[in-house]
Amino acid sequence: MKRKLFICVSTVFVFFAAGGFLKAAEPKATVLDATGGVEIFQDKQWATASEYQPLYEKNIIKTSSSSSAEIMFDDETVVRLEQNTEAEIRLRNSVPEVALKTGRITSSVVP
């Protein structure tokens, strides 16, 4: 009896996952440009950033000296991280934002 119940529960799980009921995390921003030493903290480790890399909630992006990065949100807002900057991608009331930890950012906002 336990074996049949396990198979039934597994089948239901696969059905919901395949049907889109279990939604995977969606990207909140995209790296447009990564010049010099730009890294992203994702999946509990730091990795070198690449152009067009998706950024998710709680990802941290940092630039080293003589480096910069530009990220774009879905609403076409572009944020530039200057050298020696560290910022985290967050959500506030379902709206993505950049939480500056250190350094300097500038932004271009579409009206």
Side-chain angles (χ1 to χ4, degrees):
M1 183 66 166
K2 289 181 182 180
R3 183 177 231 158
K4 289 180 183 179
L5 178 60
F6 175 74
I7 292 170
C8 183
V9 171
S10 297
T11 304
V12 171
F13 177 76
V14 171
F15 171 75
F16 281 113
F21 293 101
L22 296 177
K23 194 173 189 179
E26 294 181 19
K28 304 304 176 198
T30 304
V31 177
L32 291 182
D33 182 51
T35 304
V38 180
E39 294 183 303
I40 296 174
F41 188 76
Q42 186 173 336
D43 299 326
K44 300 180 183 180
Q45 63 184 3
W46 287 100
T48 302
S50 60
E51 289 184 11
Y52 307 112
Q53 179 176 353
L55 296 173
Y56 299 88
E57 183 179 10
K58 298 185 181 177
N59 282 173
I60 299 171
I61 182 168
K62 73 176 177 179
T63 59
S64 59
S65 60
S66 301
S67 302
S68 64
E70 286 187 355
I71 62 173
M72 185 172 72
F73 292 94
D74 289 342
D75 66 357
E76 297 183 8
T77 298
V78 176
V79 175
R80 179 178 172 84
L81 288 79
E82 302 297 335
Q83 66 180 355
N84 299 318
T85 297
E86 186 173 330
E88 182 178 357
I89 306 300
R90 293 188 183 168
L91 283 181
R92 181 182 294 201
N93 298 325
S94 299
V95 176
E97 67 180 18
V98 176
L100 183 63
K101 293 183 174 202
T102 60
R104 188 171 108 178
I105 61 173
T106 56
S107 64
S108 173
V109 181
V110 177

